[in-house]
């Protein structure tokens, strides 16, 4: 019986078929679409809904963008050119470009100075951001950059940034000399030496002050536009990282008094919105300063935003410290390192690496929050748009172009930073998974 | 020959304060304490001096004086003769209102977007990624201003609704979108409406009791009662029956165009809507990321194990994935709620009268009591944050992994 079956097979192929391409439904774009867009009914409906949404968005947006007017003196001229058609009036961007970037008071002929400072920022940041791809020698420039940028943007006597730098140099020398004895001696010695240098420098600058400076002085209240956002963002983030590290270490310390000072500071700052701190900078801080001192508003705002950011960064770094295995602390102890050495050489480098995403999050959030200074009537990018530009008779009503431009500018910067941080995380990944 | 020497004397030398680890921590703490006290003493003396010079003093008496300004949208009775204190309370309620609305909306948006970002539909995934990136990377203040602009400059004036052939018509004859705000119907509570509300509350309790009973029955006997439709029935049927039995005691007061503006209904101002939606959409993008991270944190083996036990996809989501994902999602979710509450202080940028607008805005400007008002403002936000984080800790302790 069993062999009847064998007989029933009429034909057995004895040669291989030539290779054939897979059926069209199983290859290329068709397969991809079947898998990714129309795998089942729900998915197909979702796809159609998404397509409809995209079509709706683009059909409104594209004509407005493509039909835009880039060259006109006022919104009425724009409307005349458009004659009722849909189109953006981007002429406001070209006409008020400088105001959007630099504010409306910064002297026109000095625009090259903040621009140069901005370009140099990349050169200064490169050795820190890409340590493996940029020569280490550039780090010297990074150290010089804050003073150079200050002098470029604010101008005035060149002696003041030089003495500012000198204070740090003297402090570093003293530190180098004393740190062999004990960390505390080096630390406090450096601070005292730097203070003395700055104090002497201040007197010398005052004595030698002359009207003829290389770069004309620009007062702080003339800063504005996106430049102000950039200044506040970069200054406050870079200042708040060391403060944040100190606060985080304080919060983790076993010394109860120091711990509680840090805890109260952090929780207080994190519990209130930035706006209230800006109110403090604007209306209250003056009461707490010695009578007769006039701090300019930017400095007061920088102080408050730095306090705000350092509280958040402290929490991020505390997370990094807590995430380190206990064995690392014990290893440092067993090597006989004292607290500052253990922190500097073993704990902090690892803790900071863990905290990078968090720190970048804080930095991006902070940069976005610099727009809040427009609430206390400073003319940053948003302040410029809402104040002088939209209130002017020429451009009253050009909302979308201006607000869209501001959103785009912030998007480019913030998205860039977050992409960078993801790249950095991949670079620093030492565990091979 | 060995020289015998005394062990080092234990007497105290000054250098031990810095070199001996036993004393060093005391030294540092003492220095820190003195520094903090000195700082506060310095600031305090400056404050005293400056206040004396300016002829001011610290006093909260201004809170009981009449405020003299109007608040366009309040939840409590308020007019310009009310005290500054009452203005602050109205502001606090407005803050809580917008924060509550925004939290609710942001959660819904965030969960939907977060789940859709994990969808296997490429287009939807990319669209949601676009939403998240676009909103996370642009300041919330700009979003608030953009939506406020839509509400005030783009929507038509109430006059566009007038005439036999108006430019705009009301949605369902009940909702009007104008540049003065959105008008929605307002419930009017007639006699007997209390009973309907009471029945509704009772049915909520009944529904919870039913679900508890069903769960208990499931655990004890393995018998699974239907959950979905009985819950809905218990929730709505008695209330609807009671509503018609009592002769429709709750009516809706529809807004209608009278004169130059809409009358009746509830007017929701553009500033409230701008703040509400901007905060919701902005924070929704953050919540979406949290939800995605939470779901991805549950290992795939859990899904596979559940599937191999024969559970259906929906069951896997409800019984296996979500309970574990929620542990990861909830803590950042609550800090997002905190952020919404704190960001609602941006109301001052669009003129919504929350606590920052009343106490920190007009009251401060009118009375000039900067220190007192800013202090009160900070205390209010501090109290809210502490309350929310206390709540969060309670919840965290309840759901955290019980390890033995």
């Amino acid at each position: 019986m069993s062999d009847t079956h064998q007989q029933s097979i009429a034909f057995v192929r004895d040669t291989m078929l030539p290779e054939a391409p897979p059926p069209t439904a199983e290859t290329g774009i068709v397969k991809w679409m079947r898998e990714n867009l129309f795998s089942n009914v729900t998915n197909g409906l979702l796809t159609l809904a998404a397509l409809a949404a995209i079509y709706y968005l683009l059909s409104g947006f594209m004509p407005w963008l493509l039909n835009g007017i880039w060259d006109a003196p006022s919104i009425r001229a724009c409307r005349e050119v458009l004659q009722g058609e849909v189109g953006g009036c981007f002429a406001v961007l070209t006409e008020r470009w400088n105001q959007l970037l630099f504010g409306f008071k910064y002297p026109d002929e000095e625009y090259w100075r903040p621009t140069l400072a901005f370009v140099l920022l990349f050169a200064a940041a490169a050795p820190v951001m890409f340590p493996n791809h940029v020569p280490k020698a550039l780090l010297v420039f990074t150290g010089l950059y804050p003073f150079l940028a200050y002098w470029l943007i604010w101008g005035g006597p060149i002696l003041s940034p030089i003495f500012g730098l000198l204070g740090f140099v003297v402090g570093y020398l003293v530190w180098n000399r004393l740190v062999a004895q004990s960390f505390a001696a080096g630390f406090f010695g450096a601070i005292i030496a730097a203070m003395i240098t700055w104090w002497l420098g201040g007197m010398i600058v005052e004595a030698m002050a002359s009207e003829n400076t290389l770069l004309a002085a620009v007062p702080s209240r003339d800063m504005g536009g996106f430049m102000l956002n950039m200044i506040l963002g970069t200054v406050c983030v870079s200042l708040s990282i060391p403060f944040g590290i100190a606060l985080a270490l304080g919060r983790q310390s076993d010394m109860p008094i120091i711990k509680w000072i840090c805890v109260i500071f952090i929780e207080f700052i994190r519990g209130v919105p930035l706006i209230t701190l800006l109110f403090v900078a604007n209306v209250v801080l003056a009461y707490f300063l010695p009578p007769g001192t006039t701090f300019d508003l930017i400095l007061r705002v920088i102080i408050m935003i730095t306090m705000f950011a350092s509280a958040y960064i402290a929490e991020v770094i505390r997370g990094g410290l807590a995430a380190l295995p206990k064995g690392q602390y014990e290893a440092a102890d067993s090597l006989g390192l004292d607290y500052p050495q253990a922190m500097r050489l073993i704990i902090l480098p690892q803790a900071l690496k863990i905290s990078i995403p968090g720190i970048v999050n804080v930095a991006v959030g902070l940069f976005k929050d610099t727009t809040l200074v427009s609430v206390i009537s400073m003319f940053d990018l948003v302040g410029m748009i809402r104040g002088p530009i939209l209130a002017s008779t020429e451009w009253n009503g050009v909302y979308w172009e201006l607000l869209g431009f501001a959103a785009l500018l912030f998007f480019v910067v913030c998205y860039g930073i977050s992409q960078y941080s993801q790249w950095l995380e991949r670079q620093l990944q030492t565990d091979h998974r | 020959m060995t020289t015998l020497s005394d062990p080092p004397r234990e007497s105290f030398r000054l250098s031990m304060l810095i070199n001996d680890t036993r004393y060093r921590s005391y030294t540092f703490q003492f220095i820190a304490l003195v520094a903090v006290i000195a700082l506060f003493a310095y600031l305090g003396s400056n404050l005293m001096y400056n206040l004396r010079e300016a002829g001011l003093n610290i006093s909260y008496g201004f809170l009981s004086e009449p405020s003299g300004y109007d608040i366009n949208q309040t939840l409590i009775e308020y007019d310009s003769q009310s005290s500054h204190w009452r203005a602050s309370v109205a502001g606090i309620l407005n803050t809580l209102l917008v924060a509550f609305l925004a939290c609710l909306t942001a959660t819904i948006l965030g969960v939907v977007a977060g789940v859709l970002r994990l969808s296997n539909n490429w287009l939807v995934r990319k669209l949601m990624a676009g939403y998240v990136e676009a909103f996370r990377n642009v300041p919330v203040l700009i979003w608030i201003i953009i939506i406020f602009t839509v509400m005030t400059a783009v929507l038509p004036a109430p006059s566009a609704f007038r005439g036999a052939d108006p430019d705009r018509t009301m949605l369902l004859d009940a909702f009007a979108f104008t540049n003065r705000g959105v008008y929605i119907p307002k419930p009017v509570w007639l006699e007997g409406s209390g009973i309907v509300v009471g029945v509704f509350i009772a049915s909520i309790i009944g529904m919870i009791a039913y679900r508890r009973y069903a769960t208990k029955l499931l655990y004890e006997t393995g018998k699974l009662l239907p959950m979905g439709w009985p819950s809905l029935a218990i929730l709505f049927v008695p209330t609807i029956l009671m509503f018609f039995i009592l002769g429709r005691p709750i009516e809706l007061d529809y807004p209608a165009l009278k004169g130059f503006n809409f009358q009746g209904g509830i007017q929701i101002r553009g500033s409230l809507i701008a703040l509400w939606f901007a905060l919701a959409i902005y924070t929704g993008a953050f919540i979406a990321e949290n939800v995605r991270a939470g779901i991805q944190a549950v290992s795939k083996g859990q899904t596979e194990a559940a599937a191999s036990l024969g559970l259906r996809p929906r069951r896997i989501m409800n019984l296996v994935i979500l309970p574990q994902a929620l542990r990861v999602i909830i803590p950042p979710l609550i800090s997002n709620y905190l952020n919404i509450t704190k960001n609602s202080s941006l109301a001052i940028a669009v003129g919504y009268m929350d606590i920052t607008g009343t106490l920190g805005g007009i009251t401060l400007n009118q009375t000039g009591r900067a220190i007192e008002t800013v202090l009160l403002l900070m205390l209010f936000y501090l109290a809210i944050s502490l309350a929310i984080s206390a709540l969060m800790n309670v919840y965290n302790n309840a759901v955290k992994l019980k390890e033995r």
Side-chain angles (χ1 to χ4, degrees):
Chain A
M1 281 296 282
S2 61
D3 53 358
T4 54
H5 189 66
Q6 226 166 26
Q7 252 65 56
S8 69
I9 299 172
F11 172 75
V12 177
R13 185 188 295 283
D14 51 7
T15 53
M16 285 283 283
L17 275 177
E19 276 180 21
T24 43
E26 289 300 323
T27 171
I29 189 155
V30 178
K31 173 168 187 265
W32 182 87
M33 278 178 63
R34 273 174 57 136
E35 273 182 5
N36 288 298
L37 297 182
F38 299 101
S39 59
N40 55 35
V41 178
T42 337
N43 232 339
L45 290 178
L46 269 179
T47 305
L48 293 181
L51 280 176
I54 292 172
Y55 172 76
Y56 179 74
L57 286 178
L58 286 187
S59 65
F61 180 68
M62 289 318 281
W64 178 79
L65 184 71
L66 298 176
N67 209 11
I69 306 296
W70 286 91
D71 184 26
S74 74
I75 184 170
R76 274 172 301 284
C78 268
R79 286 191 181 136
E80 272 169 31
V81 176
L82 284 169
Q83 299 200 326
E85 278 184 55
V86 180
C89 184
F90 300 106
V92 64
L93 298 183
T94 45
E95 215 223 27
R96 298 294 176 107
W97 177 253
N98 287 332
Q99 287 197 356
L100 287 169
L101 293 192
F102 303 103
F104 63 114
K105 279 187 190 156
Y106 205 88
D108 308 9
E109 65 281 1
E110 311 285 1
Y111 281 157
W112 64 272
R113 283 161 42 180
T115 315
L116 181 64
F118 177 68
V119 172
L120 289 179
L121 174 66
F122 289 96
V128 182
M129 289 171 79
F130 306 100
N132 299 330
H133 302 78
V134 175
K136 284 264 184 299
L138 257 180
L139 271 175
V140 177
F141 180 70
T142 310
L144 291 178
Y145 178 76
F147 307 98
L148 183 64
Y150 168 81
W151 186 57
L152 276 175
I153 295 175
W154 274 271
I158 193 170
L159 275 179
S160 18
I162 288 182
F163 273 109
L165 179 63
L166 207 62
F168 280 99
V169 173
V170 170
Y172 177 74
L173 291 179
V174 172
W175 150 270
N176 234 3
R177 186 73 183 276
L178 292 182
V179 77
Q181 293 174 24
S182 92
F183 178 80
F187 186 68
F188 291 113
I191 290 181
I192 292 169
M195 291 284 191
I196 293 174
T197 322
W198 285 326
W199 179 64
L200 286 176
M203 295 211 299
I204 294 174
V205 169
E206 214 153 282
M208 293 178 59
S210 68
E211 291 303 306
N212 285 328
T213 49
L214 208 52
L215 293 178
V218 181
S220 283
R221 59 177 179 279
D222 290 359
M223 311 282 152
F226 196 58
M227 179 177 77
L228 185 60
N229 294 110
M230 288 296 290
I231 292 177
L232 289 176
T234 40
V235 171
C236 294
V237 168
S238 33
L239 283 182
S240 61
I241 289 176
F243 282 119
I245 293 175
L247 280 172
L249 291 179
R251 195 170 181 169
Q252 293 288 72
S253 129
D254 342 306
M255 297 184 253
I257 296 180
I258 290 185
K259 181 177 170 181
W260 280 106
I261 292 172
C262 294
V263 167
I264 291 174
F265 177 85
I266 292 173
E267 292 302 330
F268 179 76
I269 297 283
R270 275 161 41 95
V272 300
L274 182 55
I275 289 236
T276 57
L277 292 179
L278 291 177
F279 280 161
V280 170
N282 196 17
V283 293
V284 180
L285 206 57
Y287 285 108
F288 289 98
L289 297 173
T293 38
T294 45
F295 251 37
D296 66 42
L297 186 56
I298 289 201
L299 195 56
R300 282 183 275 163
V301 165
I302 285 181
I303 292 175
M304 294 321 276
I305 298 185
T306 305
M307 279 168 66
F308 183 74
S310 41
Y312 281 83
I313 286 190
E315 284 299 274
V316 170
I317 293 176
R318 184 170 74 116
L321 287 172
L324 269 196
K326 206 156 181 287
Q328 296 289 331
Y329 291 87
E330 291 166 351
D333 286 343
S334 71
L335 285 176
L337 301 180
D338 63 5
Y339 179 80
Q341 286 171 328
M343 284 300 149
R344 220 166 59 231
L345 302 173
I346 296 192
I347 307 298
L348 276 182
Q350 302 185 63
L352 288 181
K353 193 181 92 182
I354 301 175
S355 333
I356 284 176
I359 293 178
V360 172
N361 262 346
V362 174
V364 170
L366 183 75
F367 181 63
K368 289 186 291 177
D369 279 349
T370 55
T371 51
L372 302 200
V373 296
S374 63
V375 173
I376 55 168
S377 48
M378 284 168 83
F379 292 105
D380 74 317
L381 182 61
V382 175
M384 277 306 292
I385 290 174
R386 299 187 71 197
I389 298 183
L390 275 180
S392 68
T393 46
E394 295 95 5
W395 300 115
N396 188 352
V398 198
Y399 306 105
W400 301 119
E401 294 78 357
L402 287 167
L403 290 171
F405 172 72
L408 184 71
L409 215 49
F410 275 98
F411 178 82
V412 167
V413 176
C414 295
Y415 189 70
I417 301 175
S418 67
Q419 290 301 307
Y420 163 74
S421 97
Q422 288 178 16
W423 176 83
L424 190 64
E425 264 177 78
R426 284 194 297 275
Q427 291 281 306
L428 288 175
Q429 212 169 49
T430 42
D431 49 341
H432 302 282
R433 275 193 287 191
Chain B
M1 203 170 131
T2 51
T3 324
L4 283 176
S5 62
D6 288 339
R9 283 185 307 137
E10 278 297 309
S11 77
F12 181 78
R13 291 183 317 277
L14 210 56
S15 64
M16 282 166 77
L17 277 181
I18 194 98
N19 290 329
D20 191 320
T21 43
R22 279 172 300 173
Y23 301 114
R24 190 160 55 191
S25 69
Y26 292 114
T27 322
F28 282 159
Q29 295 192 52
F30 182 72
I31 293 175
L33 196 63
V34 168
V36 167
I37 291 174
L39 181 71
F40 274 95
Y42 175 69
L43 295 179
S45 71
N46 280 340
L47 176 67
M48 287 302 148
Y49 182 85
N50 285 329
L51 285 178
R52 217 170 33 243
E53 285 292 287
L56 290 169
N57 58 338
I58 300 275
S59 126
Y60 283 92
F62 72 93
L63 281 176
S64 54
E65 288 162 16
S67 57
Y69 60 89
D70 278 316
I71 298 179
N72 49 30
Q73 185 145 33
T74 56
L75 295 173
I76 53 171
E77 292 276 317
Y78 174 86
D79 63 49
S80 60
Q81 290 312 303
S82 310
S83 62
H84 281 295
W85 174 248
R86 202 165 175 80
S88 310
V89 173
I92 288 176
L93 290 177
N94 277 352
T95 296
L96 296 179
L97 170 73
V98 76
F100 173 74
L101 290 175
C103 286
L104 205 68
T105 322
T107 313
I108 296 170
L109 260 177
V111 170
V112 169
V115 171
L116 284 184
R117 268 202 89 173
L118 291 174
S119 140
N120 44 16
N121 188 321
W122 181 85
L123 201 61
V124 171
R125 217 159 57 214
K126 290 292 165 199
L127 209 59
M128 286 303 137
Y131 156 68
V132 169
E133 292 300 339
F135 279 85
R136 272 178 3 138
N137 286 314
V138 172
V140 63
L141 183 61
I142 293 186
W143 289 124
I144 293 176
I145 296 171
I146 286 180
I147 300 184
F148 185 61
T149 309
V150 176
M151 297 308 302
T152 53
V154 176
L155 287 178
S159 59
F161 292 81
R162 186 157 336 110
D165 185 22
D167 297 340
R168 300 295 181 103
T169 49
M170 288 166 72
L171 190 66
L172 302 173
D173 276 339
F175 301 91
F177 297 86
T178 73
N179 62 359
R180 293 191 198 177
V182 174
Y183 293 85
I184 61 169
K186 172 180 172 184
V188 181
W189 309 98
L190 300 177
E191 203 165 334
S193 59
I195 302 174
V196 177
V197 175
V199 168
F200 186 64
I201 293 170
S203 10
I204 294 177
I205 297 170
M207 184 190 73
I208 295 172
Y210 171 75
R211 292 182 79 99
R212 283 224 169 148
Y213 168 73
T215 319
K216 198 162 157 252
L217 197 71
L218 176 69
Y219 286 164
E220 280 174 358
T221 66
K223 192 161 169 278
L224 184 61
L225 291 180
M227 282 277 205
W229 64 263
S231 306
L232 283 180
I234 295 175
L235 192 58
F236 289 114
V237 172
T239 314
I240 294 172
L241 281 180
M242 190 53 82
F243 178 71
F244 284 105
I245 290 170
L246 289 174
R248 304 188 191 185
I250 303 173
E251 283 179 354
L252 289 177
D253 174 22
Y254 291 99
L257 197 60
K258 289 196 183 102
F260 290 106
N261 206 344
F262 281 91
Q263 303 289 325
I266 300 175
Q267 178 191 15
I268 307 176
R269 290 191 168 260
S271 50
L272 170 62
I273 292 183
L275 198 62
W276 168 13
F277 277 83
L279 287 176
I281 298 174
Y282 178 78
T283 318
F286 287 85
I287 294 179
E289 285 296 272
N290 293 335
V291 170
R292 182 174 70 110
I295 292 177
Q296 281 181 334
V298 181
S299 87
K300 203 157 168 31
Q302 300 272 338
T303 319
E304 291 166 351
S308 72
L309 287 177
L311 292 183
R312 290 171 173 279
R314 254 192 65 179
R315 278 267 147 91
I316 296 178
M317 198 61 174
N318 284 337
L319 299 177
V320 179
I321 309 288
L322 272 186
Q324 301 186 68
L326 278 182
R327 252 184 227 130
V328 184
I329 295 172
I330 297 285
L333 185 70
I334 292 179
S335 39
N336 275 324
Y337 289 166
L338 199 55
N339 279 342
I340 288 185
T341 316
K342 286 195 287 177
N343 277 340
S344 70
S345 59
L346 289 176
I348 198 168
V350 287
Y352 176 65
M353 297 301 271
D354 76 331
I355 178 78
T356 321
T358 55
L359 184 67
I362 302 182
T363 296
L364 192 158
N365 281 338
Q366 280 190 358
T367 60
R369 298 266 174 197
I371 298 169
E372 293 92 332
T373 47
V374 171
L375 198 65
L376 276 183
L377 202 58
M378 285 184 159
L379 283 180
F380 165 72
Y381 282 109
L382 216 53
I384 293 227
S385 336
L386 290 180
I388 293 182
S389 44
L391 214 68
M392 169 170 148
N393 284 338
V394 170
Y395 180 85
N396 252 348
N397 286 335
V399 301
K400 79 169 173 218
L401 218 53
K402 306 269 188 316
E403 283 184 283
R404 272 174 278 271

